[in-house]
Amino acid sequence: MTVTQAVQSENVVLLDVRVREQFQKESAKNAVNIPLAELENRSSELKGKKVVVFCNKGIQADEAYKILEKYGVEVYDGSTLKNVQAIQNLKN
């Protein structure tokens, strides 16, 4: 599955790893927020799910990707919020 397919899939968790304040201002449609600082402790919430991670510049998303991969989560790197939003706005 590509990142585009993952973002457009209904059974994928879109995970915004930015801080809560940024998430509350704006995020991708149907995204959930687990800030990067909390991800290690909350990774069990994502076990058995397909997850697309994203943030502002892609740096935190890369870190989140590594953390989730370490815990055996099927993870895709959506890179940035703008990228995920652009994919969501694509017409199938």
Side-chain angles (χ1 to χ4, degrees):
M1 183 181 305
T2 66
V3 170
T4 299
Q5 290 168 326
V7 169
Q8 293 175 337
S9 174
E10 287 180 20
N11 57 356
V12 169
V13 176
L14 297 176
L15 180 62
D16 188 334
V17 296
R18 301 172 306 148
V19 295
R20 247 174 214 68
E21 294 76 23
Q22 291 174 314
F23 174 75
Q24 288 168 343
K25 264 191 192 167
E26 176 188 28
S27 193
K29 194 170 120 204
N30 300 322
V32 297
N33 179 231
I34 300 178
L36 183 60
E38 299 174 18
L39 191 56
E40 193 103 32
N41 294 331
R42 295 180 61 188
S43 63
S44 61
E45 295 174 34
L46 302 166
K47 242 351 188 184
K49 297 179 179 169
K50 294 175 183 158
V51 179
V52 175
V53 293
F54 64 92
C55 62
N56 278 332
K57 295 185 175 131
I59 297 164
Q60 289 181 310
D62 289 346
E63 282 302 306
Y65 182 95
K66 290 174 194 162
I67 290 168
L68 293 176
E69 195 175 49
K70 181 171 79 175
Y71 287 100
V73 174
E74 185 177 338
V75 62
Y76 300 86
D77 191 345
S79 191
T80 65
L81 169 60
K82 297 293 178 225
N83 185 52
V84 171
Q85 287 174 325
I87 292 169
Q88 285 182 324
N89 290 328
L90 288 175
K91 300 288 178 251
N92 292 341

